[in-house]
Amino acid sequence: MRSRISIRVPEVYAWDSDSSNPVGAEYIIMEKICGVALAEIWESMNSLQRYEIINQIVKMETEFRSLKLPAYGRLFLRDSLPPEYHHYPLPSDLDPDGLFCIGPSNSPLLCHNKPTDVSKSIVGPCESKIL
C-alpha cells in the first residue's frame, strides 16, 4: 500500500495473528503517525477549515478507489486462510511475493439474513460475495 498511494500509511514493524505466540495474544506493532484526532478539534474549526478537511478526505478516498483489487472482502495472509474458503490472490504488482489474498468478509451488508457477530470466527459467518 505504501508504494502505491501518496497517503501516509504507518510502517508495520512486527505482527502475529496467532495468539499461541509468547505474548499470548494477536498483536501488531506499527509506526506512530503524529497528529490530532479530527473529533478532538472539529467543533473548534470554522466552516472554511472544515471544508478543507472534507476536501482532503475526498481526495484520499479517490486515491484509494484508484487501487484495483480482484474482489471485495478482507485481506488475509494466503497461508492463514482455511482451504475451504474462496479467496482471490492480489495482482503481482500489488503483492509481488504472493503473500496476501482477498478472502471472506464479515460485512453485514454482504451477509443477507445471516448472523453478523464477527467475534465468532476470524473468517466470519458467510462467504464473501463478489460485487
Side-chain angles (χ1 to χ4, degrees), residues 63-108:
E63 194 167 352
F64 277 123
R65 283 184 47 104
S66 73
L67 295 174
K68 302 298 181 207
L69 299 173
Y72 289 91
R74 291 177 43 198
L75 185 63
F76 288 88
L77 275 173
R78 191 180 300 199
D79 294 342
S80 72
L81 197 61
E84 65 268 17
Y85 290 98
H86 299 290
H87 66 279
Y88 301 88
L90 291 174
S92 60
D93 63 324
L94 288 177
D95 181 25
D97 297 326
L99 298 175
F100 299 95
C101 67
I102 303 293
S105 173
N106 290 4
S107 171

Side-chain angles (χ1 to χ4, degrees), residues 18-27:
D18 184 356
S19 60
S20 66
N21 63 49
V23 175
E26 298 171 352
Y27 68 87

Side-chain angles (χ1 to χ4, degrees), residues 7-25:
I7 300 164
R8 183 80 199 277
V9 177
E11 183 177 350
V12 174
Y13 299 127
W15 61 274
D16 196 329
S17 61
D18 184 356
S19 60
S20 66
N21 63 49
V23 175

